Amino acid sequence: MSVDSAVVRRIAHLARIAVEENEVERLRGELNAILSFVETLSEVDVEGVEPIASVLPMQMKKRADVVTDGGIAQDVLVNAPVKEDHYFVVPKVVE
Amino acid sequence: MSDLTHLSLADARDALTSKKISAVELTKAHLSAIESARILNCFITETPELALKQAAASDERIAGGQAGPLEGLPLGVKDLYCTNGVRTTAASRILDDFTPTYESTVSGNLIRDGAVTLGKLNLDEFAMGSSNETSAFGPVISPWKRKGDPGAKIVPGGSSGGSSAAVAAHLCLGATATDTGGSIRQPAAFTGTVGVKPTYGRCSRWGIVAFASSLDQAGPIARTVRDAAILLRSMAGHDPKDTTSVDAPVPDYEKAIGASVKGRRIGVPKEYRLDGLSAEIAGLWDQGVQWLKDAGAEIVEISLPHTKYALPTYYIIAPAEASSNLARYDGVRYGLREPGRDITDMYEKTRAKGFGPEVRRRIMIGTYVLSAGYYDAYYVRAQKVRSLIKRDFDEAFAAGVDAVLTPATPSTAFAQGEQGSTDPVEMYLNDVFTVTVNMAGLPGISVPGGLAANGLPLGLQLIGRPFDEETLFSLASAIERAAPNFDFPQPWWR
């Protein structure tokens, strides 16, 4: 399978990465080089093989559903690029 | 007192406990070595004041008989580990001046045990790379030089290139690193150092910037096998904050150093004898077999038939997990923000500016293989092949093999710009011997085997049973004793 320039633009949008028109061709070449490298997996017989879930034979640990942390809004917000009071600020999403 | 930087970590520990030296003087010696080695670009952030404060506190604890296992020992921390109050970048522009208000569990364990932290070490951006050339803070230069080629800037390997170069240049006694596909073992092999990728789950991943969560594992880089064993004991352990960390006691790995390897069965996988494997690497491998035989181990040929699919599998699974993990860098909660006409435009511009080319490429591949219509063909198939790769190892171990011996890398270190500039896959091939270990969640160690004809170090890799790092330390110390001695490079960078 290989990708064309329309697919490159679609993937970039899904990944939320702006791509300039003059970058599309180069990206297409690079992505196709990687895809052709992984193409070899299509020759492996995976009939009846379970996809791996974990390399460790262990049960998912669970804990009681109680609050164990919190009340640190200041710490949570300290690295925010734009903030107001105890809120992250983003461009307007609804009209 | 610059020769204090030439102590091994174990010797420095003993000199500190017997009060022959102080933690402050040991730390000052390393800080001055760091200052005179800035041309190597090992550190992204130096923390001399913090280090001296920690060292003074260590001296007090030593005087008061309260010394921890790493008391007063100056270490470097890969800048993928979140450090409380110290900028953490993952070598990416997108994290900007991100300064955590918490400490990663593993670096916290080192501090709990008394270590002195000298600063944050350079790496490939988000740990994606094998040469430390993708860092937004510029490449790291290895202290090693190729014979007869003084102008070439040799790469220290990657992604833990700042860690490997700083340890090889004697800027710290040891360093933390992380390994997703070979990022501890390959840079260790390139710099003549020892690197340990523990069993998945041995060290907590909490507070370490995530790349591919089912593969990432923390581990040490040091100059001797013993030093690596001492560091791993402090780094390892159960952490309730990481549900994949394993609740099992941490052995005293140092006791495994020098232990007899008589009768141990060592598997040599025939599939690792790749077409075009250089005679020098093949020769080193044979030599390693002989060293272990001489130490009393038994050598058996084994087959790991899915080996050649490991790297392609990795280049589906790792980018898929990365594309998901790196979705958090959106310009809202921390890091860089580029203004846009609406929120989507803001996300897209922020991520285009903040991520370097290799990271963008991997996010896009990951997005593609997880997207509707391709998920089964790529991602699910890769997860099935990963099961087969793990099964190969399970069967070898079930047949009585105690560990597997392979080369660590397909070549010695190369110079900046020599690989991957036209085809990204060329760079990916560096991890051909190491990536299987991450796929199967096993422990691996890279140990120096001497120098190649070009004057650069070569490494051997040992792969162990899950949670049997002790056997790896015993075998690696046997190789370390048998391998020809070499000197780390003279400080041409001063």
Side-chain angles (χ1 to χ4, degrees):
Chain A
M1 281 179 261
S2 65
V3 297
D4 60 22
S5 50
V7 175
V8 171
R9 283 191 209 95
R10 189 173 63 85
I11 301 169
H13 181 65
L14 283 174
R16 297 291 186 270
I17 296 174
V19 166
E20 301 290 333
E21 211 38 53
N22 61 14
E23 294 175 291
V24 172
E25 197 42 39
R26 184 180 46 80
L27 278 169
R28 194 182 67 81
E30 290 170 355
L31 297 184
N32 281 332
I34 299 168
L35 290 172
S36 108
F37 175 61
V38 304
E39 200 54 47
T40 153
L41 294 189
S42 60
E43 71 192 46
V44 185
D45 181 5
V46 293
E47 193 58 41
V49 178
E50 281 295 307
I52 203 162
S54 165
V55 290
L56 300 174
M58 65 189 246
Q59 290 283 313
M60 174 65 96
K61 287 175 214 136
K62 300 174 190 76
R63 65 165 176 82
D65 185 15
V66 291
V67 176
T68 58
D69 201 357
I72 49 166
Q74 217 45 47
D75 278 3
V76 172
L77 283 152
V78 72
N79 284 290
V82 189
K83 62 194 160 195
E84 212 176 292
D85 301 326
H86 277 179
Y87 295 93
F88 297 107
V89 178
V90 296
K92 194 167 164 187
V93 185
V94 285
E95 290 303 316
Chain B
M1 290 300 276
S2 76
D3 61 349
L4 286 185
T5 65
H6 282 258
L7 293 171
S8 70
L9 182 136
D11 288 346
R13 173 192 61 187
D14 299 345
L16 282 167
T17 26
S18 60
K19 302 193 178 82
K20 287 199 186 84
I21 59 172
S22 75
V24 167
E25 57 184 351
L26 184 64
T27 299
K28 281 185 174 159
H30 285 91
L31 290 173
S32 122
I34 290 168
E35 217 171 282
S36 61
R38 293 209 175 109
I39 192 178
L40 302 180
N41 203 24
C42 293
F43 283 83
I44 290 176
T45 307
E46 297 172 14
T47 55
E49 291 94 1
L50 174 65
L52 286 170
K53 218 173 106 193
Q54 290 169 331
S58 283
D59 281 331
E60 276 181 34
R61 282 193 293 269
I62 293 168
Q66 306 285 313
L70 299 178
E71 200 63 64
L73 300 173
L75 305 177
V77 177
K78 186 178 184 179
D79 204 13
L80 204 62
Y81 289 65
C82 288
T83 42
N84 195 356
V86 177
R87 182 175 71 147
T88 298
T89 70
S92 181
R93 245 183 231 267
I94 206 155
L95 272 153
D96 205 14
D97 281 328
F98 175 66
T99 305
T101 54
Y102 50 85
E103 187 78 27
S104 84
T105 298
V106 168
S107 54
N109 289 348
L110 296 175
I111 294 167
R112 171 204 66 202
D113 283 355
V116 169
T117 53
L118 297 165
K120 305 297 291 290
L121 293 161
N122 207 339
L123 65 150
D124 278 299
E125 185 179 0
F126 283 105
M128 297 179 189
S130 303
S131 64
N132 215 120
E133 289 171 287
T134 73
S135 168
F137 296 85
V140 173
I141 301 171
S142 172
W144 288 89
K145 288 282 187 194
R146 207 150 52 188
K147 213 179 263 174
D149 190 7
K153 291 176 177 163
I154 302 300
V155 305
S159 68
S160 308
S163 306
S164 66
V167 171
H170 292 84
L171 310 186
C172 48
L173 294 173
T176 72
T178 60
D179 190 315
T180 304
S183 280
I184 291 176
R185 292 157 288 154
Q186 185 256 19
F190 274 12
T191 55
T193 55
V194 177
V196 183
K197 196 286 277 186
T199 312
Y200 185 79
R202 184 73 283 190
C203 292
S204 170
R205 291 179 297 106
W206 192 85
I208 297 175
V209 175
F211 163 10
S213 307
S214 78
L215 304 165
D216 297 344
Q217 191 58 203
I221 291 183
R223 286 190 294 269
T224 70
V225 178
R226 179 183 296 275
D227 291 357
I230 293 169
L231 287 171
L232 182 60
R233 186 191 185 187
S234 287
M235 293 169 77
H238 179 237
D239 176 12
K241 288 191 276 198
D242 173 4
T243 53
T244 63
S245 97
V246 167
D247 196 355
V250 179
D252 182 355
Y253 295 118
E254 196 180 355
K255 290 204 173 114
I257 307 299
S260 166
V261 300
K262 221 176 180 89
R264 293 307 191 120
R265 281 167 74 90
I266 309 301
V268 174
K270 58 179 186 208
E271 289 81 4
Y272 282 59
R273 218 161 271 277
L274 308 174
D275 293 340
L277 182 65
S278 84
E280 199 161 36
I281 299 289
L284 167 74
W285 195 8
D286 295 340
Q287 185 62 254
V289 163
Q290 194 55 50
W291 289 330
L292 290 181
K293 255 191 207 166
D294 294 345
E298 185 191 332
I299 307 295
V300 286
E301 188 181 75
I302 60 167
S303 175
L304 301 168
H306 296 90
T307 297
K308 74 166 178 163
Y309 301 112
L311 208 48
T313 303
Y314 177 83
Y315 276 98
I316 292 174
I317 293 173
E321 295 186 15
S323 73
S324 169
N325 273 326
L326 273 59
R328 72 189 69 176
Y329 303 102
D330 58 4
V332 175
R333 287 157 298 163
Y334 38 73
L336 182 78
R337 175 187 294 198
E338 279 293 289
R341 48 175 197 280
D342 54 30
I343 194 162
T344 305
D345 196 46
M346 185 273 281
Y347 291 152
E348 292 190 348
K349 286 195 170 130
T350 297
R351 290 163 63 80
K353 185 166 182 198
F355 293 133
E358 181 62 29
V359 175
R360 271 182 290 188
R361 207 150 43 219
R362 294 205 197 184
I363 291 175
M364 288 180 69
I365 284 286
T367 304
Y368 181 66
V369 301
L370 291 176
S371 66
Y374 300 98
Y375 181 79
D376 287 330
Y378 285 112
Y379 185 70
V380 175
R381 174 169 280 269
Q383 292 286 55
K384 289 179 179 173
V385 179
R386 188 175 173 189
S387 292
L388 294 172
I389 293 164
K390 181 174 182 296
R391 189 197 288 172
D392 287 352
F393 280 103
D394 290 346
E395 285 171 1
F397 291 131
V401 164
D402 294 305
V404 175
L405 179 72
T406 77
T409 58
S411 70
T412 58
F414 41 92
Q416 280 177 21
E418 277 179 359
Q419 275 195 20
S421 53
T422 52
D423 178 1
V425 174
E426 185 188 22
M427 187 66 84
Y428 298 171
L429 295 174
N430 271 288
D431 293 334
V432 66
F433 297 127
T434 49
V435 77
T436 51
V437 174
N438 304 76
M439 287 289 130
L442 302 171
I445 187 168
S446 168
V447 59
L451 303 182
N454 66 5
L456 296 176
L458 290 168
L460 284 163
Q461 172 180 241
L462 288 153
I463 304 167
R465 296 165 178 266
F467 300 103
D468 191 13
E469 283 82 2
E470 289 164 289
T471 294
L472 294 187
F473 284 122
S474 304
L475 291 164
S477 70
I479 290 179
E480 187 179 53
R481 277 196 308 275
N485 286 327
F486 61 87
D487 291 323
F488 282 98
Q490 290 303 308
W492 52 263
W493 51 86
R494 276 193 191 144

